[in-house]
Amino acid sequence: RDVPEEGQHIHGLFIEGAKWNRAEGKLEESEPKKLFVGMPAIHVTATTIGKSGAKAARANESLFHDSAVYKYPKRNDRYLIFRMPLKCGDMPAWHWKLRGVALFCQTE
Protein backbone atom coordinates (compact mmCIF):
# COMPACT_ATOMS: atom_id res chain seq x y z
CA ARG A 1 0.00 0.00 0.00
CA ASP A 2 0.95 3.61 -0.43
CA VAL A 3 2.33 5.47 2.55
CA PRO A 4 -0.14 8.17 3.65
CA GLU A 5 0.99 11.79 3.95
CA GLU A 6 -0.50 12.01 7.42
CA GLY A 7 -1.22 9.25 9.94
CA GLN A 8 -0.29 5.57 9.94
CA HIS A 9 -1.70 2.25 8.82
CA ILE A 10 -2.20 -0.11 11.78
CA HIS A 11 -2.59 -3.85 11.33
CA GLY A 12 -2.72 -6.75 13.77
CA LEU A 13 -5.56 -5.47 15.97
CA PHE A 14 -8.25 -7.81 17.31
CA ILE A 15 -11.85 -6.95 18.17
CA GLU A 16 -13.83 -8.44 21.06
CA GLY A 17 -17.61 -8.33 21.47
CA ALA A 18 -18.38 -7.92 17.76
CA LYS A 19 -16.95 -8.53 14.30
CA TRP A 20 -16.09 -6.09 11.54
CA ASN A 21 -17.94 -6.27 8.23
CA ARG A 22 -15.17 -5.40 5.77
CA ALA A 23 -17.47 -4.97 2.77
CA GLU A 24 -19.80 -2.46 4.47
CA GLY A 25 -17.32 -1.01 6.98
CA LYS A 26 -19.45 -1.46 10.11
CA LEU A 27 -19.82 -3.49 13.30
CA GLU A 28 -21.88 -6.70 13.33
CA GLU A 29 -22.74 -9.35 15.90
CA SER A 30 -19.85 -11.72 16.54
CA GLU A 31 -20.03 -15.39 15.65
CA PRO A 32 -20.73 -17.80 18.52
CA LYS A 33 -17.66 -19.00 20.47
CA LYS A 34 -15.30 -16.56 18.72
CA LEU A 35 -13.89 -14.26 21.39
CA PHE A 36 -11.36 -12.33 19.27
CA VAL A 37 -11.63 -11.57 15.55
CA GLY A 38 -8.86 -9.99 13.47
CA MET A 39 -9.39 -6.47 12.15
CA PRO A 40 -8.30 -5.26 8.70
CA ALA A 41 -5.57 -2.62 8.32
CA ILE A 42 -6.81 0.72 9.66
CA HIS A 43 -5.61 4.20 8.70
CA VAL A 44 -5.27 6.27 11.89
CA THR A 45 -4.75 10.02 12.05
CA ALA A 46 -5.20 12.62 14.78
CA THR A 47 -7.64 15.50 14.56
CA THR A 48 -8.51 18.46 16.73
CA ILE A 49 -12.09 19.25 17.64
CA GLY A 50 -13.19 22.87 17.87
CA LYS A 51 -16.57 24.12 19.06
CA SER A 52 -18.32 23.28 15.80
CA GLY A 53 -16.57 19.89 15.66
CA ALA A 54 -17.75 19.03 19.18
CA LYS A 55 -21.36 19.75 18.10
CA ALA A 56 -20.96 17.51 15.07
CA ALA A 57 -19.42 14.77 17.23
CA ARG A 58 -22.41 14.86 19.61
CA ALA A 59 -24.80 14.68 16.64
CA ASN A 60 -23.01 11.54 15.35
CA GLU A 61 -22.85 9.78 18.74
CA SER A 62 -25.51 7.27 17.73
CA LEU A 63 -23.72 6.46 14.44
CA PHE A 64 -20.32 5.60 15.96
CA HIS A 65 -19.20 3.50 18.92
CA ASP A 66 -16.26 5.10 20.74
CA SER A 67 -14.17 1.95 21.13
CA ALA A 68 -11.14 1.72 23.38
CA VAL A 69 -7.90 0.29 21.98
CA TYR A 70 -5.92 -1.64 24.59
CA LYS A 71 -2.42 -3.07 24.61
CA TYR A 72 -3.53 -6.27 26.39
CA PRO A 73 -6.92 -7.95 27.01
CA LYS A 74 -6.87 -6.73 30.62
CA ARG A 75 -9.01 -3.58 30.48
CA ASN A 76 -7.64 -0.79 32.63
CA ASP A 77 -6.23 2.71 32.20
CA ARG A 78 -2.69 1.42 32.32
CA TYR A 79 -3.11 -0.51 29.06
CA LEU A 80 -5.40 1.96 27.23
CA ILE A 81 -3.68 3.36 24.12
CA PHE A 82 -6.40 5.54 22.53
CA ARG A 83 -10.07 5.55 21.50
CA MET A 84 -11.30 4.88 17.99
CA PRO A 85 -14.78 5.57 16.56
CA LEU A 86 -16.26 2.52 14.83
CA LYS A 87 -19.34 2.75 12.59
CA CYS A 88 -22.33 1.11 14.33
CA GLY A 89 -24.33 0.03 11.31
CA ASP A 90 -27.88 -1.16 12.10
CA MET A 91 -27.53 -1.12 15.91
CA PRO A 92 -27.25 2.00 18.09
CA ALA A 93 -23.96 2.86 19.83
CA TRP A 94 -25.27 1.87 23.27
CA HIS A 95 -25.80 -1.71 21.99
CA TRP A 96 -22.08 -2.09 21.30
CA LYS A 97 -21.18 -0.41 24.59
CA LEU A 98 -23.27 -3.01 26.46
CA ARG A 99 -21.54 -5.76 24.44
CA GLY A 100 -18.19 -4.46 25.66
CA VAL A 101 -16.73 -3.96 22.20
CA ALA A 102 -13.03 -3.08 22.34
CA LEU A 103 -9.89 -3.47 20.23
CA PHE A 104 -6.69 -5.18 21.42
CA CYS A 105 -3.11 -5.40 20.20
CA GLN A 106 -2.63 -8.85 21.79
CA THR A 107 -5.04 -11.62 22.72
CA GLU A 108 -2.99 -13.08 25.58
Side-chain angles (χ1 to χ4, degrees):
R1 294 189 178 186
D2 295 334
V3 178
E5 282 187 30
E6 182 179 321
Q8 291 292 317
H9 286 294
I10 297 176
H11 66 90
L13 291 179
F14 299 91
I15 188 168
E16 179 184 27
K19 71 176 181 179
W20 187 253
N21 182 331
R22 292 174 190 233
E24 297 180 29
K26 65 179 185 176
L27 290 171
E28 288 186 344
E29 295 291 338
S30 59
E31 295 174 15
K33 299 187 180 186
K34 283 205 172 182
L35 187 57
F36 297 105
V37 180
M39 287 287 288
I42 301 168
H43 180 251
V44 177
T45 185
T47 59
T48 57
I49 298 178
K51 289 182 181 180
S52 61
K55 266 186 187 176
R58 281 193 297 277
N60 289 331
E61 275 181 352
S62 62
L63 301 175
F64 293 93
H65 167 62
D66 189 31
S67 179
V69 180
Y70 293 100
K71 202 174 193 181
Y72 305 110
K74 189 171 184 179
R75 298 176 189 221
N76 60 34
D77 291 346
R78 185 177 185 177
Y79 301 129
L80 177 67
I81 302 171
F82 63 97
R83 297 191 156 277
M84 180 185 308
L86 298 174
K87 190 174 176 185
C88 292
D90 303 331
M91 300 292 200
W94 58 263
H95 174 81
W96 301 113
K97 189 169 195 156
L98 290 175
R99 290 267 191 237
V101 173
L103 298 172
F104 300 95
C105 295
Q106 297 181 12
T107 58
E108 294 180 12

